[in-house]
Amino acid sequence: ATAASAALTAAGEQWTELRADVFAALATHPSPASAYDIADEVSRRRGKRVAPNSVYRILDVFVSNNLAMRVESANAYLANSH
């Protein structure tokens, strides 16, 4: 996650607590995960609901900054290893 936060910050994006939580959930998921899977997991960890829409926006930032990859066929995401 340190490399991910450095890469995102270098790209001019902020590394927020929510983005860190989303990346951690994505990086530890054993298979490609949907935004809904990630939202559920982050909601459980935080003890409050995180909207899938927020997770989609964060995943889009991760994909555009090469921190994650979208698996089109499954509408799911994978963290890129750095």
Side-chain angles (χ1 to χ4, degrees):
T2 307
S5 89
L8 207 57
T9 307
E13 296 280 356
Q14 289 188 318
W15 185 254
T16 64
E17 214 175 292
L18 182 55
R19 286 179 176 182
D21 288 349
V22 168
F23 189 81
L26 185 64
T28 57
H29 218 274
S31 57
S34 74
Y36 288 89
D37 296 335
I38 299 297
D40 287 346
E41 192 169 325
V42 172
S43 294
R44 268 197 313 279
R45 287 182 187 186
R46 292 184 143 216
K48 65 180 183 193
R49 186 177 177 278
V50 174
N53 272 357
S54 299
V55 173
Y56 269 117
R57 283 195 296 275
I58 291 169
L59 290 170
D60 285 343
V61 169
F62 289 169
V63 169
S64 64
N65 287 283
N66 204 29
L67 297 180
M69 182 176 76
R70 183 159 186 251
V71 181
E72 297 284 340
S73 59
N75 195 22
Y77 298 82
L78 277 171
N80 286 341
S81 52
H82 284 275

Coordinates of all heavy atoms in Angstrom, one line a residue:
A1 N 0.8 -1.2 0.0 CA 0.0 0.0 0.0 C 0.9 1.3 0.0 O 0.5 2.3 -0.5 CB -0.9 0.0 1.2
T2 N 2.1 1.1 0.5 CA 3.0 2.3 0.5 C 3.3 2.7 -0.9 O 3.3 3.9 -1.2 CB 4.3 2.0 1.3 OG1 3.9 1.5 2.6 CG2 5.1 3.2 1.5
A3 N 3.6 1.7 -1.7 CA 3.9 2.0 -3.1 C 2.7 2.6 -3.8 O 2.8 3.5 -4.7 CB 4.4 0.8 -3.9
A4 N 1.5 2.1 -3.5 CA 0.3 2.6 -4.1 C 0.1 4.1 -3.7 O -0.3 4.9 -4.6 CB -0.9 1.7 -3.7
S5 N 0.2 4.3 -2.4 CA 0.0 5.7 -2.0 C 1.0 6.7 -2.6 O 0.7 7.8 -3.0 CB 0.0 5.8 -0.5 OG 1.3 6.0 0.1
A6 N 2.3 6.2 -2.7 CA 3.3 7.1 -3.3 C 3.0 7.3 -4.8 O 3.1 8.4 -5.3 CB 4.7 6.4 -3.2
A7 N 2.5 6.3 -5.5 CA 2.2 6.4 -6.9 C 1.0 7.4 -7.1 O 1.1 8.2 -8.0 CB 1.9 5.1 -7.5
L8 N 0.0 7.3 -6.3 CA -1.1 8.1 -6.4 C -0.8 9.6 -6.1 O -1.2 10.5 -6.8 CB -2.3 7.6 -5.5 CG -3.7 7.9 -6.0 CD1 -3.9 7.4 -7.4 CD2 -4.7 7.3 -5.0
T9 N 0.0 9.8 -5.0 CA 0.4 11.1 -4.6 C 1.2 11.7 -5.7 O 1.0 12.9 -6.0 CB 1.1 11.0 -3.3 OG1 0.3 10.3 -2.3 CG2 1.4 12.4 -2.7
A10 N 2.1 11.0 -6.3 CA 3.0 11.5 -7.3 C 2.2 11.9 -8.6 O 2.5 12.8 -9.3 CB 4.0 10.4 -7.7
A11 N 1.0 11.2 -8.7 CA 0.1 11.6 -9.9 C -0.8 12.8 -9.6 O -1.6 13.2 -10.4 CB -0.7 10.4 -10.2
G12 N -0.6 13.4 -8.4 CA -1.4 14.5 -8.0 C -2.7 14.2 -7.4 O -3.5 15.1 -7.2
E13 N -2.9 13.0 -7.0 CA -4.1 12.6 -6.4 C -3.9 12.5 -4.9 O -2.8 12.3 -4.4 CB -4.6 11.2 -6.9 CG -4.9 11.1 -8.3 CD -6.3 11.7 -8.6 OE1 -7.1 12.0 -7.7 OE2 -6.7 11.7 -9.8
Q14 N -5.0 12.5 -4.1 CA -4.9 12.4 -2.7 C -5.0 10.9 -2.3 O -5.7 10.2 -2.9 CB -5.9 13.2 -1.9 CG -5.7 14.7 -2.0 CD -6.7 15.4 -1.1 OE1 -7.9 15.1 -1.1 NE2 -6.2 16.4 -0.4
W15 N -4.2 10.5 -1.2 CA -4.3 9.2 -0.7 C -5.1 9.3 0.6 O -4.6 9.7 1.7 CB -2.9 8.6 -0.4 CG -3.0 7.2 0.1 CD1 -2.7 6.8 1.3 CD2 -3.2 6.0 -0.7 NE1 -2.8 5.4 1.4 CE2 -3.1 4.9 0.1 CE3 -3.6 5.8 -2.1 CZ2 -3.3 3.6 -0.3 CZ3 -3.8 4.5 -2.5 CH2 -3.6 3.4 -1.6
T16 N -6.4 9.1 0.5 CA -7.3 9.3 1.7 C -7.5 8.0 2.5 O -7.1 7.0 2.0 CB -8.7 9.8 1.2 OG1 -9.3 8.7 0.4 CG2 -8.6 11.1 0.4
E17 N -8.0 8.1 3.6 CA -8.3 7.0 4.5 C -9.2 6.0 3.7 O -9.0 4.8 3.8 CB -8.9 7.4 5.8 CG -8.5 6.6 7.0 CD -9.1 7.1 8.3 OE1 -8.7 8.2 8.7 OE2 -10.0 6.4 8.8
L18 N -10.2 6.5 3.1 CA -11.2 5.6 2.4 C -10.4 5.0 1.2 O -10.6 3.8 0.9 CB -12.4 6.4 1.9 CG -13.4 5.6 1.1 CD1 -13.9 4.4 2.0 CD2 -14.6 6.5 0.7
R19 N -9.6 5.7 0.5 CA -8.9 5.1 -0.7 C -7.9 4.0 -0.2 O -7.8 3.0 -0.8 CB -8.1 6.2 -1.4 CG -9.0 7.0 -2.3 CD -8.3 8.1 -3.1 NE -9.2 8.8 -3.9 CZ -8.9 9.8 -4.7 NH1 -7.6 10.2 -4.8 NH2 -9.8 10.4 -5.5
A20 N -7.3 4.3 1.0 CA -6.4 3.3 1.6 C -7.2 2.0 2.0 O -6.8 0.9 1.7 CB -5.7 3.8 2.8
D21 N -8.4 2.2 2.5 CA -9.2 1.0 2.9 C -9.7 0.3 1.7 O -9.7 -1.0 1.6 CB -10.5 1.5 3.7 CG -10.1 2.0 5.1 OD1 -9.0 1.7 5.6 OD2 -11.0 2.5 5.8
V22 N -10.1 1.0 0.6 CA -10.5 0.3 -0.6 C -9.3 -0.4 -1.2 O -9.5 -1.6 -1.7 CB -11.1 1.4 -1.6 CG1 -11.3 0.7 -3.0 CG2 -12.4 1.9 -1.1
F23 N -8.2 0.2 -1.3 CA -7.0 -0.5 -1.8 C -6.6 -1.8 -1.0 O -6.4 -2.8 -1.6 CB -5.8 0.4 -2.0 CG -4.7 -0.2 -2.7 CD1 -4.7 -0.2 -4.1 CD2 -3.6 -0.9 -2.1 CE1 -3.7 -0.8 -4.9 CE2 -2.6 -1.5 -2.8 CZ -2.6 -1.4 -4.2
A24 N -6.7 -1.6 0.3 CA -6.4 -2.8 1.1 C -7.4 -3.9 0.9 O -7.0 -5.1 0.8 CB -6.4 -2.4 2.6
A25 N -8.6 -3.6 0.8 CA -9.6 -4.6 0.5 C -9.4 -5.3 -0.8 O -9.5 -6.5 -1.0 CB -11.0 -4.0 0.6
L26 N -9.1 -4.5 -1.8 CA -8.9 -5.0 -3.2 C -7.6 -5.8 -3.2 O -7.6 -6.9 -3.8 CB -8.7 -3.8 -4.2 CG -8.6 -4.1 -5.6 CD1 -9.8 -4.8 -6.1 CD2 -8.4 -2.8 -6.4
A27 N -6.5 -5.4 -2.6 CA -5.3 -6.1 -2.6 C -5.3 -7.4 -1.9 O -4.6 -8.3 -2.3 CB -4.2 -5.2 -2.0
T28 N -6.2 -7.5 -0.9 CA -6.2 -8.8 -0.2 C -7.3 -9.7 -0.7 O -7.4 -10.8 -0.2 CB -6.4 -8.5 1.3 OG1 -7.6 -7.8 1.5 CG2 -5.3 -7.8 1.9
H29 N -8.1 -9.3 -1.6 CA -9.1 -10.1 -2.2 C -8.5 -11.2 -3.0 O -7.7 -11.0 -3.9 CB -10.1 -9.3 -3.0 CG -11.5 -9.7 -2.9 ND1 -12.1 -10.7 -3.7 CD2 -12.5 -9.3 -2.0 CE1 -13.3 -10.8 -3.3 NE2 -13.6 -10.0 -2.3
P30 N -8.9 -12.5 -2.8 CA -8.3 -13.6 -3.5 C -8.6 -13.7 -5.0 O -7.8 -14.3 -5.7 CB -8.8 -14.8 -2.8 CG -10.1 -14.4 -2.2 CD -10.0 -12.9 -1.9
S31 N -9.6 -13.0 -5.4 CA -10.0 -13.1 -6.9 C -10.5 -11.7 -7.3 O -10.7 -10.8 -6.4 CB -11.1 -14.1 -7.1 OG -12.2 -13.8 -6.3
P32 N -10.7 -11.5 -8.6 CA -11.3 -10.1 -9.0 C -12.5 -9.8 -8.2 O -13.4 -10.7 -8.0 CB -11.6 -10.3 -10.5 CG -10.6 -11.4 -10.9 CD -10.5 -12.3 -9.7
A33 N -12.6 -8.6 -7.7 CA -13.7 -8.2 -6.8 C -14.5 -7.1 -7.5 O -14.0 -6.2 -8.1 CB -13.1 -7.7 -5.5
S34 N -15.8 -7.1 -7.3 CA -16.7 -6.1 -7.8 C -16.7 -4.9 -6.8 O -16.3 -5.1 -5.6 CB -18.1 -6.6 -7.9 OG -18.7 -6.7 -6.7
A35 N -17.2 -3.8 -7.2 CA -17.3 -2.6 -6.4 C -18.2 -2.9 -5.2 O -17.9 -2.4 -4.1 CB -17.8 -1.4 -7.1
Y36 N -19.2 -3.8 -5.4 CA -20.1 -4.1 -4.3 C -19.4 -5.0 -3.3 O -19.6 -4.8 -2.1 CB -21.3 -4.8 -4.9 CG -22.3 -3.9 -5.6 CD1 -22.1 -3.6 -6.9 CD2 -23.3 -3.2 -4.9 CE1 -22.9 -2.7 -7.6 CE2 -24.1 -2.3 -5.5 CZ -23.9 -2.0 -6.9 OH -24.7 -1.1 -7.5
D37 N -18.6 -5.9 -3.8 CA -17.8 -6.8 -2.8 C -16.9 -5.9 -2.0 O -16.8 -6.1 -0.7 CB -16.8 -7.7 -3.6 CG -17.6 -8.8 -4.4 OD1 -18.8 -9.1 -4.1 OD2 -17.0 -9.3 -5.4
I38 N -16.2 -5.0 -2.6 CA -15.3 -4.1 -1.9 C -16.1 -3.2 -0.9 O -15.7 -3.0 0.2 CB -14.5 -3.2 -2.9 CG1 -13.6 -4.1 -3.8 CG2 -13.6 -2.2 -2.1 CD1 -12.6 -4.9 -3.1
A39 N -17.2 -2.6 -1.4 CA -18.0 -1.7 -0.5 C -18.5 -2.5 0.7 O -18.4 -2.0 1.8 CB -19.2 -1.2 -1.3
D40 N -18.9 -3.8 0.5 CA -19.3 -4.6 1.7 C -18.2 -4.8 2.7 O -18.3 -4.7 3.9 CB -19.8 -5.9 1.2 CG -21.2 -5.8 0.5 OD1 -21.9 -4.8 0.7 OD2 -21.6 -6.8 -0.1
E41 N -17.0 -5.1 2.1 CA -15.9 -5.4 3.0 C -15.4 -4.2 3.7 O -15.1 -4.2 4.9 CB -14.7 -6.0 2.1 CG -13.6 -6.6 3.0 CD -12.6 -7.3 2.1 OE1 -13.0 -8.0 1.1 OE2 -11.4 -7.3 2.5
V42 N -15.3 -3.0 3.0 CA -14.9 -1.8 3.7 C -15.9 -1.3 4.7 O -15.6 -0.9 5.8 CB -14.6 -0.7 2.6 CG1 -14.3 0.6 3.3 CG2 -13.4 -1.1 1.7
S43 N -17.2 -1.5 4.4 CA -18.3 -1.2 5.3 C -18.1 -2.0 6.6 O -18.2 -1.4 7.7 CB -19.6 -1.4 4.7 OG -19.9 -0.6 3.6
R44 N -17.8 -3.3 6.5 CA -17.6 -4.1 7.6 C -16.4 -3.7 8.5 O -16.5 -3.6 9.7 CB -17.4 -5.6 7.2 CG -18.7 -6.4 7.2 CD -18.4 -7.9 7.2 NE -17.3 -8.3 6.2 CZ -17.5 -8.5 4.9 NH1 -18.7 -8.4 4.4 NH2 -16.5 -8.9 4.2
R45 N -15.3 -3.4 7.8 CA -14.1 -2.9 8.5 C -14.3 -1.6 9.2 O -13.8 -1.4 10.3 CB -12.9 -2.8 7.5 CG -12.4 -4.1 7.0 CD -11.2 -3.8 6.1 NE -10.8 -5.0 5.4 CZ -9.7 -5.1 4.7 NH1 -9.0 -4.0 4.4 NH2 -9.3 -6.2 4.1
R46 N -15.1 -0.7 8.6 CA -15.2 0.6 9.2 C -16.4 0.7 10.1 O -16.5 1.7 10.9 CB -15.5 1.7 8.0 CG -14.2 1.9 7.2 CD -14.5 3.0 6.2 NE -13.3 3.7 6.0 CZ -13.2 5.0 5.8 NH1 -14.3 5.7 5.7 NH2 -12.1 5.6 5.7
G47 N -17.3 -0.3 10.1 CA -18.4 -0.3 11.0 C -19.5 0.7 10.5 O -20.4 1.1 11.3
K48 N -19.4 1.2 9.3 CA -20.4 2.1 8.7 C -20.5 1.9 7.2 O -19.5 1.5 6.6 CB -20.2 3.5 9.1 CG -19.0 4.2 8.5 CD -18.8 5.6 8.9 CE -17.6 6.2 8.2 NZ -17.2 7.5 8.8
R49 N -21.6 2.1 6.6 CA -21.9 1.8 5.2 C -21.0 2.7 4.3 O -21.0 3.9 4.5 CB -23.3 1.9 4.9 CG -23.7 1.5 3.5 CD -25.2 1.6 3.2 NE -25.4 1.2 1.8 CZ -25.3 2.1 0.8 NH1 -24.9 3.3 1.0 NH2 -25.5 1.7 -0.4
V50 N -20.4 2.1 3.3 CA -19.7 2.8 2.3 C -20.5 2.5 1.0 O -20.7 1.3 0.7 CB -18.2 2.3 2.2 CG1 -17.5 3.0 1.0 CG2 -17.5 2.6 3.5
A51 N -20.9 3.5 0.3 CA -21.7 3.3 -0.9 C -20.8 2.8 -2.1 O -19.7 3.2 -2.3 CB -22.3 4.7 -1.4
P52 N -21.4 1.8 -2.8 CA -20.7 1.3 -4.0 C -20.3 2.3 -5.0 O -19.3 2.2 -5.6 CB -21.7 0.3 -4.6 CG -22.5 -0.2 -3.4 CD -22.7 1.1 -2.5
N53 N -21.1 3.4 -5.1 CA -20.8 4.5 -6.0 C -19.4 5.1 -5.6 O -18.6 5.5 -6.5 CB -21.9 5.6 -6.0 CG -23.0 5.3 -7.0 OD1 -22.9 4.3 -7.7 ND2 -24.0 6.1 -7.0
S54 N -19.2 5.3 -4.4 CA -17.9 5.9 -3.9 C -16.8 5.0 -4.3 O -15.7 5.4 -4.7 CB -18.0 6.1 -2.4 OG -19.0 7.0 -2.0
V55 N -17.0 3.7 -4.1 CA -16.0 2.7 -4.4 C -15.7 2.7 -5.9 O -14.6 2.6 -6.3 CB -16.4 1.3 -3.9 CG1 -15.4 0.2 -4.3 CG2 -16.5 1.3 -2.4
Y56 N -16.8 2.8 -6.7 CA -16.6 2.8 -8.2 C -15.7 4.0 -8.5 O -14.7 3.9 -9.4 CB -17.9 3.0 -8.9 CG -18.5 1.7 -9.3 CD1 -19.8 1.3 -8.8 CD2 -17.9 0.8 -10.2 CE1 -20.3 0.1 -9.2 CE2 -18.5 -0.4 -10.6 CZ -19.7 -0.7 -10.1 OH -20.3 -1.9 -10.5
R57 N -15.9 5.2 -8.0 CA -15.1 6.4 -8.3 C -13.7 6.1 -7.9 O -12.7 6.5 -8.6 CB -15.7 7.6 -7.6 CG -16.9 8.1 -8.3 CD -17.3 9.6 -7.8 NE -17.6 9.6 -6.4 CZ -18.9 9.4 -5.9 NH1 -19.8 9.0 -6.8 NH2 -19.1 9.4 -4.7
I58 N -13.5 5.5 -6.7 CA -12.1 5.3 -6.3 C -11.4 4.3 -7.2 O -10.2 4.4 -7.5 CB -12.1 4.8 -4.8 CG1 -12.5 6.0 -3.9 CG2 -10.7 4.2 -4.4 CD1 -12.8 5.6 -2.4
L59 N -12.1 3.2 -7.5 CA -11.6 2.2 -8.4 C -11.2 2.8 -9.8 O -10.2 2.5 -10.4 CB -12.5 1.0 -8.6 CG -12.7 0.1 -7.4 CD1 -13.9 -0.8 -7.6 CD2 -11.4 -0.6 -7.0
D60 N -12.0 3.7 -10.3 CA -11.7 4.4 -11.5 C -10.4 5.2 -11.4 O -9.6 5.2 -12.3 CB -12.8 5.3 -12.0 CG -14.0 4.6 -12.5 OD1 -13.9 3.4 -12.9 OD2 -15.1 5.2 -12.6
V61 N -10.2 5.8 -10.3 CA -8.9 6.6 -10.0 C -7.8 5.6 -10.0 O -6.7 5.8 -10.6 CB -9.0 7.4 -8.7 CG1 -7.6 7.9 -8.3 CG2 -10.0 8.5 -8.8
F62 N -8.0 4.5 -9.3 CA -6.9 3.4 -9.3 C -6.6 2.9 -10.7 O -5.4 2.7 -11.0 CB -7.3 2.3 -8.4 CG -7.3 2.6 -6.9 CD1 -7.9 1.7 -6.0 CD2 -6.8 3.8 -6.4 CE1 -7.9 2.0 -4.6 CE2 -6.8 4.1 -5.0 CZ -7.4 3.1 -4.1
V63 N -7.6 2.6 -11.5 CA -7.4 2.1 -12.8 C -6.6 3.2 -13.7 O -5.6 2.9 -14.3 CB -8.7 1.7 -13.5 CG1 -8.5 1.4 -15.0 CG2 -9.2 0.4 -12.8
S64 N -7.1 4.4 -13.6 CA -6.5 5.4 -14.5 C -5.0 5.8 -14.0 O -4.2 6.3 -14.8 CB -7.3 6.7 -14.5 OG -7.4 7.3 -13.3
N65 N -4.7 5.4 -12.8 CA -3.3 5.6 -12.3 C -2.5 4.3 -12.2 O -1.5 4.2 -11.5 CB -3.3 6.3 -10.9 CG -3.7 7.8 -11.1 OD1 -2.9 8.6 -11.5 ND2 -5.0 8.1 -10.8
N66 N -3.0 3.3 -12.9 CA -2.3 2.0 -13.0 C -2.1 1.3 -11.6 O -1.2 0.5 -11.5 CB -1.0 2.2 -13.7 CG -0.6 0.9 -14.4 OD1 -1.4 0.1 -14.7 ND2 0.7 0.7 -14.5
L67 N -3.0 1.5 -10.7 CA -2.9 0.8 -9.4 C -3.8 -0.4 -9.4 O -3.7 -1.3 -8.5 CB -3.3 1.7 -8.2 CG -2.4 3.0 -8.0 CD1 -3.0 3.8 -6.8 CD2 -1.0 2.5 -7.8
A68 N -4.8 -0.4 -10.3 CA -5.7 -1.6 -10.4 C -6.0 -1.8 -11.8 O -5.8 -0.9 -12.7 CB -7.0 -1.3 -9.6
M69 N -6.6 -3.0 -12.1 CA -6.9 -3.4 -13.5 C -8.4 -3.8 -13.4 O -8.8 -4.5 -12.5 CB -6.0 -4.5 -13.8 CG -6.2 -5.1 -15.2 SD -5.0 -6.4 -15.5 CE -5.7 -7.7 -14.6
R70 N -9.1 -3.3 -14.4 CA -10.6 -3.7 -14.5 C -10.6 -5.0 -15.4 O -10.1 -5.0 -16.5 CB -11.4 -2.6 -15.2 CG -12.8 -2.9 -15.2 CD -13.7 -1.7 -15.3 NE -15.1 -2.1 -15.2 CZ -15.9 -2.1 -16.2 NH1 -15.6 -1.6 -17.4 NH2 -17.2 -2.5 -16.1
V71 N -11.4 -6.0 -14.9 CA -11.6 -7.2 -15.7 C -13.0 -7.0 -16.3 O -14.0 -7.2 -15.6 CB -11.6 -8.4 -14.7 CG1 -11.8 -9.7 -15.5 CG2 -10.3 -8.5 -14.0
E72 N -13.0 -6.6 -17.5 CA -14.2 -6.2 -18.2 C -15.3 -7.3 -18.2 O -16.4 -7.1 -17.9 CB -14.0 -5.8 -19.7 CG -13.1 -4.6 -19.9 CD -13.8 -3.3 -19.6 OE1 -15.0 -3.2 -19.6 OE2 -13.1 -2.3 -19.4
S73 N -14.9 -8.5 -18.5 CA -15.8 -9.6 -18.6 C -16.6 -9.9 -17.3 O -17.7 -10.4 -17.3 CB -15.1 -10.9 -19.1 OG -14.1 -11.2 -18.2
A74 N -15.9 -9.6 -16.2 CA -16.5 -9.9 -14.9 C -17.0 -8.7 -14.2 O -17.6 -8.8 -13.1 CB -15.5 -10.6 -14.0
N75 N -16.8 -7.5 -14.8 CA -17.1 -6.2 -14.2 C -16.5 -6.2 -12.8 O -17.2 -5.9 -11.8 CB -18.6 -5.9 -14.2 CG -18.8 -4.5 -13.8 OD1 -18.0 -3.6 -14.0 ND2 -20.0 -4.2 -13.3
A76 N -15.2 -6.6 -12.7 CA -14.5 -6.7 -11.4 C -13.2 -6.1 -11.5 O -12.7 -5.7 -12.6 CB -14.4 -8.2 -11.0
Y77 N -12.5 -6.0 -10.4 CA -11.2 -5.3 -10.4 C -10.1 -6.1 -9.7 O -10.5 -6.9 -8.8 CB -11.3 -3.9 -9.7 CG -12.3 -3.0 -10.4 CD1 -13.6 -3.1 -10.2 CD2 -11.8 -2.0 -11.2 CE1 -14.5 -2.3 -10.8 CE2 -12.7 -1.2 -11.9 CZ -14.0 -1.3 -11.7 OH -14.9 -0.4 -12.3
L78 N -8.9 -5.9 -10.0 CA -7.7 -6.5 -9.4 C -6.7 -5.5 -9.1 O -6.5 -4.6 -9.9 CB -7.1 -7.5 -10.4 CG -7.6 -8.9 -10.6 CD1 -6.9 -9.6 -11.7 CD2 -7.4 -9.7 -9.3
A79 N -6.1 -5.6 -7.9 CA -5.0 -4.6 -7.6 C -3.8 -5.0 -8.5 O -3.5 -6.2 -8.7 CB -4.6 -4.7 -6.2
N80 N -3.0 -4.1 -9.0 CA -1.8 -4.3 -9.7 C -0.7 -4.4 -8.6 O -0.7 -3.6 -7.7 CB -1.4 -3.2 -10.6 CG -2.3 -3.2 -11.9 OD1 -2.9 -4.2 -12.2 ND2 -2.3 -2.1 -12.5
S81 N 0.2 -5.4 -8.7 CA 1.3 -5.5 -7.8 C 2.4 -4.6 -8.2 O 2.8 -4.6 -9.4 CB 1.7 -7.0 -7.7 OG 2.0 -7.5 -8.9
H82 N 3.0 -3.9 -7.2 CA 4.1 -3.0 -7.5 C 5.3 -3.4 -6.7 O 5.2 -3.8 -5.6 CB 3.7 -1.5 -7.1 CG 2.8 -0.9 -8.1 ND1 3.2 -0.3 -9.2 CD2 1.4 -0.8 -8.1 CE1 2.2 0.2 -9.9 NE2 1.1 -0.2 -9.3

